[in-house]
């Protein structure tokens, strides 16, 4: 029978065992199980001390090393080469070794922490920073300094550096330290903790950390997740089974064949799960790999302060007037049709067009000899030699795939190089000077012609909104765009009007007077004239501002390019100040940012144009009742509808981020509650559907007792059913005499000669539900809710309250720290005492 009660009990026997210290709470007799439990507990303690040196401990170490290797693979896309494997896997092996020594020698927490710090600095040179170590092995002062600084600042530098990071060997401290600490924590828990499954927690945290430190292009996320989940869960299940079999050593020794079958079954199940995971990876990976993921390097703005660097567009006239004949730098290997970009400017604040660093316009990250790029085009090596140029802005060509400096200042220039892959702008905080040189790996694509662009949609890009724009810009933008409704047509109309009605002048002696600058006042004065006089600086700024006013994203680029047919193939291009230009770029789907020149025709002169050649005012402004008004109204409606659609569009990415931000904490809070409710539901279903009908009746009575225990009326485990029924009637007023009848019926079913029928069992459970409902109805609703989530019935009515347990744990922490402190201080104190006694003996011998 399930309860194991004897039909009758001898009072003498009960009296004779009343004072026996080895008696159980349930029967009052000596329990063979308790003796065996005491024996196996002592055996378990001995085995815990030696697990690190056992075959099972070797399996633990192998599993953890495999999991950490899977985690380390996530650094691949960010690093760019396999060079990260040495510091990452070396740190994992070193961390497991430290944890193994701590478990084998039973080190305290303080001693394990000290050994962890010592091993980090001792082996950091050979694993992470061999270039700074003596003979590549012995750590030098520089090695110790970089290890200390990298442990604190390396994380930020890691996510603010343009991948691949292999160009910056000092950042190897990050994978080394992350895998090292994870291995120490996981190994210590696996070899020393009672619940070894908690060792998977640092592994999962490390897997998430590597994903956040990586790029938007993941390594093998599905494979990594499946391996960590399947292997980790199998190992945790195996450890739990080993723990249970160790706690029942006498039983396991008597049934070794059953134990072997159980282990073989677990191996087969694990192989099946791995195979199923592999099939899922093959089927799901192509769909799961689509799109980009979130990475910290896409969210964190690097610490580069662009405000301390002046926009190069401010000095545009300095190049055209003062440096027109000065050789600035020479470019060798520039592809045909290429342009030298000095800086991309995307922020306007009414006084100056400047470069910015943000998520929308791209961030400036550290760049090295290799730069990841997905730009399409021809990759060409381009050599640049600085002649008369000086400044922080680095002239480049196309999209950079890498930059390598040459000369005496190569290391200084490389250490301060930053690159914005979105804008294609590079700068070095050290500043270029005459005599410097560098080699670019440039990716250049020929821009499409305007016929192709006319059928290509303009891509929507969230550029910073211009501030303090000239008053004339909105009106002139609408006037120059005329009645075009297509964005590309509006863009081309604005450009063609500027080119047709503008007069080019940089204020030189043979040119009309022209003020420098591109502030709001200067642009207002430019657009207010019938003959607009200016150069690239003013016209590019006006074109970009009017294009944005017409709903087309645009930015200004300052750079250099030669006159048409002036550059011969194979010859270096020597850039002078008169080659300086400014143009506008607009994004098109599939082509990226496409340049648009807005230089007025050189034949345009300062004289009034005939009325027939001037750009007509919009018909709605001149003749409100003209026949052209309905088309204008329809065009306006289309623009308004587009704006409404844009405003009403839902940013699903932001919605997802908000849902994750709110949902994950709520899920973490609700998960324990759901697990408790699920456990109780499963416990009730197991009792009600037990294979033996008598066990179902016995389970019904236990359900009554557990509900009462959760409501606060606990029944001691040693009490019989009838004693428990009387206690329930006393402690719960709502527990009527029906509970006593339920106890009598349960005893009759369990100990009776006849087996209950299915109908009797069903009726018994119906009475159980009725009794439980009465008990719950008689207490306040808060008490009912608390009882649903209470673990008191799981722990037992005799178990101490959780607050008391927590207070005991909190009180044990200072005592454990004190014992650890004494364990550390006692050897020193003993050595000092022995030395003192030796000195005393020596003095006594001298006195004799």
């Amino acid at each position: 029978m399930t309860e194991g009660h004897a039909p009758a009990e001898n009072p003498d026997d009960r009296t004779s065992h009343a004072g026996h210290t080895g008696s159980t709470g349930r029967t009052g007799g000596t329990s063979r199980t308790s003796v065996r439990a005491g024996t196996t507990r002592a055996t378990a303690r001995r085995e815990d001390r030696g697990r690190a040196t056992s075959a099972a401990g070797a399996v633990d170490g192998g599993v953890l090393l495999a999991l950490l290797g899977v985690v380390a693979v996530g650094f691949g896309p960010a690093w760019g080469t396999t060079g990260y494997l040495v510091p990452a896997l070396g740190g994992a092996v070193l961390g497991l070794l430290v944890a193994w020594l701590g478990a084998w020698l039973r080190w305290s927490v303080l001693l394990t922490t000290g050994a962890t710090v010592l091993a980090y600095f001792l082996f950091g040179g050979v694993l992470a920073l061999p270039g700074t170590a003596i003979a590549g092995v012995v750590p030098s002062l520089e090695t110790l300094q970089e290890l200390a600084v990298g442990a604190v600042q390396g994380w930020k530098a890691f996510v603010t550096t343009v991948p691949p990071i292999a160009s910056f060997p000092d950042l190897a401290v990050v994978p080394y330290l992350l895998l090292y600490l994870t291995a120490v924590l996981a190994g210590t828990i696996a070899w020393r903790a009672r619940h070894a499954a908690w060792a998977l927690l640092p592994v999962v945290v490390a897997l998430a950390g590597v994903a956040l430190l990586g790029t938007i292009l993941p390594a093998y996320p599905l494979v990594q997740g499946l391996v960590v989940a399947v292997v980790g869960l199998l190992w945790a299940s195996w450890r739990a089974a080993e723990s249970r079999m160790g706690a029942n050593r006498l039983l396991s020794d008597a049934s070794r064949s059953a134990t072997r079958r159980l282990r073989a079954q677990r191996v087969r199940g694990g192989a099946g799960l791995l195979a199923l995971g592999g099939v899922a990876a093959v089927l799901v990976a192509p769909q799961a790999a689509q799109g980009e993921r979130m990475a910290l390097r896409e969210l964190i703005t690097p610490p580069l302060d662009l405000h301390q660097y002046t926009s190069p567009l401010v000095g545009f006239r300095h190049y055209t007037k003062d440096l027109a004949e000065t050789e600035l730098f020479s470019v060798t290997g520039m592809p045909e049709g290429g342009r030298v970009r000095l800086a991309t400017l995307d922020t306007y604040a009414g006084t100056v067009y400047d470069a910015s660093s943000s998520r929308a316009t791209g961030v400036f990250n550290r760049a090295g000899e290799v730069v990841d790029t997905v730009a399409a085009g021809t990759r060409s090596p381009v050599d640049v030699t600085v002649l008369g140029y000086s400044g922080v802005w680095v002239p480049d060509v196309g999209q950079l795939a890498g930059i390598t400096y040459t000369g005496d200042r190569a290391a200084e220039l490389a250490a301060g190089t930053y690159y914005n892959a979105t804008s294609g702008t590079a700068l070095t905080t050290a500043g270029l000077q005459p005599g410097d040189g560098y080699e670019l790996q440039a990716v250049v694509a020929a821009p499409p012609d305007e016929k192709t662009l006319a059928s290509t949609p303009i891509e929507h890009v969230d550029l910073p909104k211009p501030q303090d724009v000239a008053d004339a810009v909105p009106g002139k933008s609408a006037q120059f765009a005329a009645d075009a409704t297509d964005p590309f047509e509006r863009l081309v109309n604005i450009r063609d009007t500027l080119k047709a009605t503008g007069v080019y002048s940089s204020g030189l002696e043979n040119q009309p007077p022209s003020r420098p600058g591109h502030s709001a006042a200067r642009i207002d004065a430019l657009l207010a004239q019938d003959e607009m006089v200016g150069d690239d600086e003013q016209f590019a700024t006006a074109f970009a501002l009017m294009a944005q006013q017409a709903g087309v994203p645009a930015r200004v680029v300052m750079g250099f390019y030669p006159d048409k047919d002036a550059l011969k193939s194979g010859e270096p291009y020597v850039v002078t100040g008169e080659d300086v230009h400014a143009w506008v770029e607009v994004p098109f789907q599939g082509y990226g940012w496409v340049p648009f020149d807005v230089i007025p025709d050189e034949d345009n002169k300062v004289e009034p144009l005939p009325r027939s050649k001037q750009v007509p005012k919009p018909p709605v402004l001149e003749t409100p009742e003209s026949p052209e008004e309905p088309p204008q109204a329809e065009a306006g409606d289309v623009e308004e509808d587009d704006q409404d659609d844009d405003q009403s569009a839902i940013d699903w990415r932001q919605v997802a981020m908000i849902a994750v931000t709110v949902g994950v904490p709520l899920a973490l809070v609700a998960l324990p509650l759901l697990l408790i409710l699920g456990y109780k539901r499963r416990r009730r279903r197991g009792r009600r559907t037990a294979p033996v009908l008598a066990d179902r009746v016995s389970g019904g009575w236990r359900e009554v007792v557990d509900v009462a225990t959760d409501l606060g009326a606990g029944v001691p485990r040693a009490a019989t059913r009838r004693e428990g029924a009387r206690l329930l009637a006393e402690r719960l007023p709502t527990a009527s005499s029906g509970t006593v009848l339920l106890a009598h019926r349960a005893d009759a079913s369990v100990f009776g000669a006849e087996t209950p029928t299915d109908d009797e069992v069903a009726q018994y459970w119906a009475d159980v539900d009725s009794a439980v409902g009465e008990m719950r109805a008689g207490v306040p609703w808060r008490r009912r809710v608390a009882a649903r989530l209470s673990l008191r019935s799981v722990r037992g009515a005799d178990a101490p309250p959780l607050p008391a347990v927590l207070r005991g744990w909190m009180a044990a922490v200072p005592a454990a720290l004190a014992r650890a402190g004494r364990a550390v201080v006692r050897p020193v104190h003993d050595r000092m005492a022995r030395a003192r006694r030796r000195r005393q003996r020596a003095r006594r011998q001298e006195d004799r």
Side-chain angles (χ1 to χ4, degrees):
M1 297 301 175
T2 59
E3 288 297 310
H5 291 287
E9 185 178 2
N10 191 342
D12 297 335
D13 294 340
R14 185 167 59 246
T15 305
S16 63
H17 291 285
H20 199 287
T21 57
S23 63
T24 63
R26 185 181 299 270
T27 62
T30 303
S31 173
R32 183 184 307 171
T33 304
S34 65
V35 175
R36 183 174 60 223
T39 304
T40 54
R41 278 197 296 270
T43 305
R45 285 194 293 269
R46 291 194 299 270
E47 290 182 352
D48 290 342
R49 287 196 293 268
R51 182 175 183 84
T53 58
S54 64
V59 173
D60 297 339
V63 170
L64 292 179
L65 184 59
L67 295 179
L68 293 174
V70 172
V71 172
V73 172
F75 282 111
W79 200 264
T81 66
T82 58
Y84 70 94
L85 292 176
V86 173
L89 296 182
V93 173
L94 180 62
L96 291 176
L97 181 60
V98 172
W100 182 83
L101 289 174
W104 177 39
L105 301 176
R106 306 301 296 173
W107 285 345
S108 64
V109 175
L110 294 178
L111 190 56
T112 303
T113 303
T116 302
V117 176
L118 179 62
Y120 168 74
F121 285 100
L122 187 61
F123 294 93
V126 64
L127 294 177
L129 302 172
T132 63
I134 301 173
V137 177
V138 181
S140 62
L141 293 178
E142 182 183 359
T143 303
L144 300 178
Q145 180 182 1
E146 291 195 10
L147 287 172
V149 174
V152 179
Q153 301 180 358
W155 311 95
K156 188 173 184 180
F158 197 91
V159 298
T160 56
T161 299
V162 177
I165 308 176
S167 302
F168 305 93
D170 58 304
L171 295 181
V173 174
V174 173
Y176 166 63
L177 178 58
L178 179 60
L179 270 298
Y180 175 64
L181 292 180
T182 304
V184 171
L185 291 175
T188 302
I189 296 173
W191 283 316
R192 304 183 68 173
R194 178 174 300 176
H195 302 288
W198 285 106
L200 297 176
L201 181 59
V203 176
V204 174
V205 172
L207 181 64
V210 171
L212 292 175
L213 292 172
T215 64
I216 58 176
L217 301 177
Y220 307 98
L222 190 60
V223 176
Q224 289 177 282
L226 284 174
V227 172
V228 171
V230 175
V231 176
L233 291 178
L234 286 176
W235 174 76
S237 175
W238 174 72
R239 281 300 306 267
E242 291 290 319
S243 178
R244 288 195 298 269
M245 287 186 291
N248 296 276
R249 175 65 60 185
L250 298 179
L251 295 179
S252 62
D253 290 340
S255 55
R256 294 179 180 178
S257 61
T259 302
R260 286 194 296 268
R261 289 195 300 270
L262 177 61
R263 289 174 176 170
Q265 182 180 0
R266 290 184 179 275
V267 172
R268 290 193 297 269
L273 285 177
L274 287 176
L276 182 61
V279 174
V282 173
L283 297 178
V284 182
Q287 290 76 19
Q290 296 178 358
E292 299 177 350
R293 67 172 181 179
M294 183 186 68
L296 290 179
R297 64 183 66 254
E298 302 299 322
L299 303 177
I300 296 178
T301 301
L304 179 66
D305 184 12
L306 290 175
H307 296 90
Q308 59 181 323
Y309 306 113
T310 305
S311 170
L313 194 60
V314 175
F316 190 89
R317 288 289 175 91
H318 174 62
Y319 288 98
T320 58
K321 283 190 173 183
D322 304 331
L323 303 176
E325 304 297 331
T326 302
E327 295 181 351
L328 302 177
F329 48 87
S330 66
V331 183
T332 303
M334 188 172 73
E336 184 179 355
R339 302 187 179 198
V340 178
R341 181 190 306 266
L342 192 61
T344 301
L345 314 170
D346 42 38
T347 302
Y348 186 76
T351 56
V352 62
Y353 234 124
D354 210 343
S356 65
S357 181
S358 66
R359 189 173 183 181
T361 60
V363 295
F364 282 84
N365 292 316
R366 290 181 62 192
E369 297 180 0
V370 181
V371 176
D372 277 344
T373 179
V374 294
T378 304
R379 179 170 299 198
S380 305
V382 178
D383 292 323
V384 180
T385 302
V386 181
L387 302 175
Y389 170 78
S390 62
V392 298
W393 305 99
V394 178
D396 59 40
V397 179
Q399 287 288 328
L400 288 190
I403 179 171
T404 304
Y405 290 94
T406 58
D408 298 336
R409 304 176 64 239
E412 181 182 359
L413 293 172
T417 298
Y418 290 81
Y419 180 63
N420 187 330
T422 302
S423 65
T425 303
L427 66 84
T428 175
T429 56
L432 292 174
Q433 298 177 3
D436 294 332
Y438 51 92
E439 180 182 352
L440 303 173
Q441 294 296 327
V443 180
V444 180
D449 54 27
E450 290 196 7
K451 291 184 179 180
T452 304
L453 295 178
S455 59
T456 304
I458 295 178
E459 190 173 358
H460 176 71
V461 177
D462 292 327
L463 292 176
K465 185 177 180 181
Q467 303 295 326
D468 300 329
V469 179
D471 296 336
V473 168
K476 289 294 183 178
S477 177
Q479 177 183 344
F480 290 175
D483 59 351
T485 58
D486 181 71
F488 180 76
E489 292 182 6
R490 292 199 296 266
L491 179 71
V492 173
N493 287 350
I494 295 173
R495 183 202 60 183
D496 292 346
T497 304
L498 288 172
K499 294 175 65 174
T501 60
V503 177
Y504 188 87
S505 173
S506 294
L508 302 179
E509 294 181 358
N510 58 344
Q511 294 178 342
S514 174
R515 289 167 38 209
H518 54 279
S519 63
R522 178 67 181 91
I523 301 302
D524 210 357
L526 174 75
L527 298 178
Q529 300 173 358
D530 291 335
E531 298 83 15
M532 296 175 288
V533 181
D535 56 11
D536 299 48
E537 179 185 3
Q538 291 82 42
F539 283 106
T541 301
F543 183 27
L545 294 177
M546 287 193 288
Q548 294 194 54
Q549 191 67 35
V552 178
R555 64 189 188 186
V556 176
V557 180
M558 179 178 171
F560 305 87
Y561 59 83
D563 295 336
K564 189 176 182 181
D565 300 330
L567 180 62
K568 296 182 179 180
S569 178
E571 294 184 359
Y573 169 40
V574 179
V575 181
T576 61
E578 64 180 0
D579 293 331
V580 68
H581 290 286
W583 60 90
V584 173
E585 289 185 340
V586 177
F588 287 83
Q589 293 183 9
Y591 295 101
W593 292 88
V594 178
F596 285 82
D597 294 319
V598 63
I599 302 175
D601 192 347
E602 294 181 357
D603 296 335
N604 294 346
K605 298 180 180 179
V606 181
E607 58 182 6
L609 295 175
R611 296 293 297 177
S612 59
K613 293 185 179 181
Q614 291 186 359
V615 178
K617 304 290 184 181
V620 67
L621 300 178
E622 293 183 355
T623 55
E625 299 180 358
S626 68
E628 298 295 330
E629 184 175 359
Q632 289 284 354
E634 293 176 2
D637 292 343
V638 172
E639 295 178 3
E640 292 177 0
D641 292 341
D642 293 341
Q643 294 176 359
D644 293 340
D645 292 342
D646 293 339
Q647 293 176 358
S648 61
I650 300 175
D651 189 352
W652 292 107
R653 185 175 181 178
Q654 184 176 4
V655 171
M657 291 181 63
I658 295 175
V660 171
T661 304
V662 177
V664 170
L666 292 178
L668 292 177
V669 173
L671 181 60
L673 307 180
L674 295 177
L675 291 176
I676 295 173
L677 295 176
Y679 170 76
K680 290 187 176 181
R681 178 181 290 273
R682 182 179 179 183
R683 182 181 66 183
R684 173 186 170 87
R685 184 170 61 251
R687 291 170 176 174
R688 193 161 188 173
T689 59
V692 181
L693 295 178
D695 291 345
R696 297 183 188 181
V697 176
S698 177
W701 172 252
R702 287 199 299 270
E703 185 70 19
V704 174
V705 173
D706 287 344
V707 172
T709 301
D710 289 334
L711 290 173
V715 176
R717 294 183 177 180
T720 63
R721 294 188 182 91
R722 300 180 183 183
E723 292 173 345
R726 288 194 294 270
L727 289 176
L728 290 181
E730 295 174 0
R731 298 178 180 180
L732 275 180
T734 55
S736 62
S737 58
T739 55
V740 178
L741 296 178
L742 288 174
H744 281 273
R745 291 166 60 186
D747 283 342
S749 299
V750 172
F751 300 115
E754 298 181 358
T755 303
T757 63
D758 290 335
D759 294 338
E760 292 174 346
V761 172
Q763 182 59 41
Y764 185 82
W765 269 95
D767 295 339
V768 167
D769 293 337
S770 177
V772 167
E774 291 179 357
M775 288 190 294
R776 288 173 175 166
V779 297
W781 68 270
R782 293 183 179 178
R783 192 172 171 185
R784 290 198 300 270
V785 173
R788 294 278 189 180
L789 304 175
S790 175
L791 291 174
R792 191 174 181 185
S793 62
V794 179
R795 300 172 60 243
D798 299 333
L802 285 177
V805 175
L806 294 177
R807 286 194 298 268
W809 289 352
M810 294 177 64
V813 170
L817 294 177
R819 288 194 300 271
R822 287 194 297 269
V824 173
V825 174
R826 186 179 296 110
V828 179
H829 181 270
D830 294 343
R831 286 195 296 270
M832 294 176 64
R834 287 194 296 269
R836 186 168 55 252
R837 287 194 296 268
R838 285 195 297 269
R839 289 195 298 268
Q840 291 175 356
R841 286 196 299 268
R843 283 196 298 267
R844 285 196 297 267
Q845 291 177 0
E846 290 177 357
D847 294 339
R848 293 176 183 175

